[in-house]
Amino acid sequence: MTIQKILTVPNPVLKQVSRPVKTMDDQIRKLMDDMLETMYDAPGIGLAAIQVGIPLRVIVMDLAGPDEDPAPMCFADPEVLEDVEEMRLWEEGCLSVPDFYEDVERPERVKLKYMDYHGKEVVKWVDGLFATCIQHEMDHLNGVLFIDHLSRLKRQRAVRKVQKAERDRAIEAAE
Ligand code: ZN
């Protein structure tokens, strides 16, 4: 397994719309394995393929708590078939917008359809953190970041913060 470099804002690749996988094969499973490794290393709870520069509709997640066994989940071509009017407010973060957190409101429950690691089609309702996280990740597949749900001012502040942190790291590395 290989740890991939995670792209950060304002990298234009993150705005790309990803294309469907359609059929599961070893190449997609290898991508999922690499993405899980990259996500655990970061560490984070969700990652979309475009965040490692690959424009395919592939997502990995693990919502297990710190004291629980890892529970990796893989999704290909996920779709929301139905959602509910009730909204859930959650302070979101993103590996592509490091060290920036803001509240985002999304439907509390969604009916999902996706292909799993083995290529099996799954249809199920999910709620809570699962619903929040999968909707955040599915936004990535359409080139949308969680900061795109915020005001322009907050979005600019987030991007500037990431750029400044990267500049500071580059200077440190050069010294
Ligand atoms: Zn994200």
Side-chain angles (χ1 to χ4, degrees), residues 5-18 47-55 94-98 137-148 159 162 166:
K5 185 180 156 29
I6 298 175
L7 307 179
T8 54
V9 287
N11 192 317
V13 172
L14 292 167
K15 307 304 285 179
Q16 277 185 34
V17 175
S18 297
L47 189 70
I50 195 66
Q51 293 179 275
V52 292
I54 297 176
C94 179
L95 293 175
S96 293
V97 194
E137 300 308 330
M138 285 174 68
D139 268 357
H140 278 298
L141 307 183
N142 296 321
V144 176
L145 293 155
F146 86 102
I147 55 171
D148 294 326
V159 173
V162 172
E166 268 168 20

